[in-house]
Amino acid sequence: MTTRQEPSFLDGVNLMFDRAAATLSIPHGLSEQIKLSNSVYQVRFPVRFQDEYTMFTGWRAVHSEHRLPVKGGIRFAPCVDQDEVEALAALMTYKCAIVNVPFGGSKGGLRINPREYNEEQLERITRRFARELISKGFISPSLNVPAPDMGTGAREMAWIADTYREQSPTDINALACVTGKPTTQGGISGRVEATGRGVQYALREFFRHPKDVALTGLKGTLEGKRAVVQGLGNVGYHAAKFLSEEDDCKIVAIVERDGAILSERGLVVEDVLAHVREHGGVAGFPNADYVENGLQVLEADCDILIPAALERQITRENAPRIRARLIAEAANGPVTFDADEILRANGKVMLPDVFLNAGGVVVSYFEWIKNISHIRFGRLGRRAEEVRGRNTIDLFEQMMNRPVPATMQEKLLHGADELDLVRSGLDDSMRLAYQEIREVLHTKNNIPDLRTAAFVVAVEKVLRTYSEMGA
Ligand code: GLU
């Protein structure tokens, strides 16, 4: 048994990069330029609450500026540190490249437990952090555009947008300085559900390819597949909800902070969320078995394991005991580098985070476009589509001399609204990205798995951009 420590999150991401880079011919020096963060800003600032000052530490890492703006969330969590923020920024670069979003990668974090503060205090802290980042060029519609991440959401994004607007009142694109805003503050329909929706679209696409499904030993479609989900936050909740309600997956266990619940009949995600909101955890959820050691349930027998919480949940310690055949990485970095090797050796298939959870940034891209174009998607075309539908119905009725059934009329008369267009664009992005990744997996030499294939897709695109720029 080796005594070597597991690589850090950042070292693990870099090792994954190296594994992919080794299969490509990258000019000397350029590989380091792509791999390492361009800059990291660390800030400490005090916030006064009544007579006391509390110090906060935050970071914003810019990984790659081969495309601008750079993009990535801001997380509020007690465990945030520079290694984590840099690792997440690097993942953002690869993620954007994989789903063809023309942004570089960035990530921010504030070391704080948001549960320890009330809304008013959080607003002051968020605005203060935002001011620090804005004044150093780490928030700007053209350079660096944050978004929600763990511990933040639409509310924090609205505060950040308002702080930016105050500091840059003449910037006509001010709203595009951050994405994931409330829809009433320049946000876009479908952004909240986007990452979970993207997980659903990605899994659907995976199951459209029997050759790939065969690698897992599973058969058929998503229907009836037994899934274990870790984390009922924004990503896990939406992924579990859509997969169970729309694809007939059975959610046989949900792992939360206080433990896990299991039910072979399948859990109703909405009910579990309502219970968690009311009782602060999953314990006591009716008609399900409760296990206090939630982590142990990651090892439960199931078809698909969906870690949708924190990074480093599957390590070399528990990896050998994972029984799921397919691991769908809805969180960022849930599988460590060592665990990845063990799982692959055990024949497990992983849908890597850099692809699987990219739905959030895809829809962020749509929101940013909406903000800089100052028009809602569908505003121009929706009624024209309805007119086309009406003409089609009239033509059919004239020629066939019988009425078009009411349900069909309804479909034909529905012009695509913003949510329809966002979902359509997200679905297309996830499908195409998966097709590019599997093409690399099946046609290139020495590509052992989907993660290496995804990194190859990403690194090739970043490399091409640098080469064309002549950097
Ligand atoms: N925080 C999300 C992620 O990790 C979204 C980033 C974004 O929309 O910019 O992908």
Side-chain angles (χ1 to χ4, degrees):
M1 178 77 189
T2 168
T3 51
R4 176 180 71 83
Q5 279 215 324
E6 284 216 56
S8 74
F9 188 8
L10 178 60
D11 289 342
V13 171
N14 287 340
L15 284 165
M16 288 165 185
F17 172 93
D18 290 341
R19 202 167 57 193
T23 71
L24 299 164
S25 56
I26 306 179
H28 186 69
L30 208 45
S31 172
E32 295 292 287
Q33 166 64 31
I34 298 172
K35 180 165 80 169
L36 305 175
S37 279
N38 287 5
S39 53
V40 190
Y41 174 54
Q42 178 182 335
V43 59
R44 287 204 187 88
F45 59 88
V47 179
R48 185 174 160 180
F49 303 118
Q50 274 137 15
D51 287 337
E52 287 191 8
Y53 288 86
T54 308
M55 288 297 294
F56 293 93
T57 310
W59 291 264
R60 184 90 181 150
V62 174
H63 177 258
S64 177
E65 290 156 296
H66 68 290
R67 295 224 190 269
L68 288 172
V70 292
K71 191 87 189 75
I74 289 185
R75 77 171 40 174
F76 284 3
C79 56
V80 168
D81 61 19
Q82 184 171 332
D83 184 277
E84 180 188 48
V85 171
E86 279 194 59
L88 292 165
L91 290 177
M92 284 309 304
T93 295
Y94 309 136
K95 202 183 290 191
C96 290
I98 288 165
V99 286
N100 296 309
V101 163
F103 294 149
S106 182
K107 201 75 165 204
L110 186 67
R111 189 182 291 158
I112 181 176
N113 182 355
R115 288 160 196 268
E116 287 173 3
Y117 297 88
N118 63 33
E119 183 162 11
E120 195 191 318
Q121 292 171 324
L122 278 173
E123 177 171 350
R124 286 179 56 200
I125 298 163
T126 305
R127 285 182 181 273
R128 178 66 204 265
F129 187 32
R131 272 200 293 278
E132 296 289 339
L133 295 178
I134 293 162
S135 67
K136 298 289 187 301
F138 283 88
I139 297 180
S140 137
S142 54
L143 294 177
N144 196 327
V145 181
D149 200 85
M150 194 183 296
T152 58
R155 181 183 68 173
E156 287 73 13
M157 301 307 116
W159 293 333
I160 293 173
D162 189 57
T163 308
Y164 182 85
R165 208 166 21 202
E166 273 170 14
Q167 286 184 230
S168 309
T170 57
D171 186 343
I172 194 168
N173 291 319
L175 273 180
C177 76
V178 65
T179 59
K181 300 176 292 291
T183 46
T184 46
Q185 297 289 330
I188 194 165
S189 312
R191 176 60 185 86
V192 176
E193 66 168 43
T195 312
R197 188 60 84 183
V199 168
Q200 175 195 33
Y201 290 159
L203 277 165
R204 281 183 182 172
E205 182 59 21
F206 175 78
F207 277 90
R208 280 189 197 108
H209 300 278
K211 184 174 170 184
D212 303 359
V213 178
L215 298 172
T216 64
L218 297 168
K219 283 196 181 72
T221 64
L222 272 170
E223 193 184 331
K225 294 288 177 294
R226 297 166 58 254
V228 170
V229 178
Q230 183 196 29
L232 219 50
N234 183 41
V235 180
Y237 160 69
H238 282 106
K241 174 182 162 71
F242 298 145
L243 288 168
S244 57
E245 290 178 4
E246 298 171 15
D247 297 280
D248 291 322
C249 272
K250 238 203 268 176
I251 310 297
V252 292
I254 291 179
V255 185
E256 256 292 314
R257 250 177 271 262
D258 68 318
I261 45 170
L262 300 91
S263 164
E264 257 322 301
R265 273 172 287 113
L267 296 157
V268 178
V269 178
E270 287 292 347
D271 294 350
V272 180
L273 185 72
H275 183 90
V276 171
R277 289 218 167 118
E278 197 182 331
H279 303 278
V282 287
F285 185 76
N287 304 321
D289 296 324
Y290 172 71
V291 177
E292 202 177 326
N293 181 357
L295 262 190
Q296 213 180 335
V297 176
L298 299 183
E299 300 160 23
D301 171 55
C302 66
D303 300 317
I304 310 173
L305 173 60
I306 308 180
L310 272 175
E311 60 259 20
R312 300 169 79 76
Q313 296 300 294
I314 305 173
T315 62
R316 71 173 180 214
E317 195 279 315
N318 58 357
R321 299 190 298 275
I322 297 292
R323 278 185 282 170
R325 295 165 188 245
L326 177 64
I327 295 140
E329 298 181 358
N332 286 312
V335 174
T336 64
F337 183 77
D338 287 359
D340 174 86
E341 306 237 296
I342 296 167
L343 291 168
R344 280 192 291 133
N346 288 348
K348 308 299 181 190
V349 174
M350 283 163 278
L351 283 167
D353 50 4
V354 280
F355 158 64
L356 193 82
N357 71 33
V361 78
V362 168
V363 178
S364 275
Y365 171 46
F366 301 155
E367 181 175 331
W368 182 80
I369 294 171
K370 175 184 178 177
N371 294 151
I372 59 171
S373 52
H374 301 268
I375 187 165
R376 163 173 54 82
F377 290 107
R379 180 159 181 184
L380 296 184
R382 183 163 164 215
R383 301 297 167 194
E385 276 182 43
E386 281 180 19
V387 170
R388 187 168 324 148
R390 168 56 52 210
N391 290 341
T392 309
I393 293 167
D394 289 348
L395 177 71
F396 180 89
E397 290 184 341
Q398 268 175 32
M399 290 183 69
M400 307 304 284
N401 211 11
R402 59 188 161 117
V404 171
T407 49
M408 190 46 78
Q409 286 217 22
E410 219 172 278
K411 281 188 189 157
L412 283 167
L413 286 173
H414 177 82
D417 61 18
E418 186 172 80
L419 185 58
D420 296 320
L421 293 169
V422 162
R423 287 182 178 159
S424 151
L426 174 58
D427 194 9
D428 192 51
S429 303
M430 299 310 290
R431 288 194 202 201
L432 287 179
Y434 185 71
Q435 287 162 18
E436 282 183 42
I437 294 168
R438 74 180 297 275
E439 175 78 15
V440 167
L441 177 72
H442 295 301
T443 59
K444 283 206 172 198
N445 289 332
N446 304 323
I447 308 289
D449 67 328
L450 286 165
R451 191 188 317 277
T452 310
F455 271 71
V456 164
V457 168
V459 175
E460 276 190 320
K461 287 181 190 173
V462 179
L463 183 64
R464 199 177 316 133
T465 312
Y466 274 120
S467 310
E468 285 165 3
M469 285 192 311

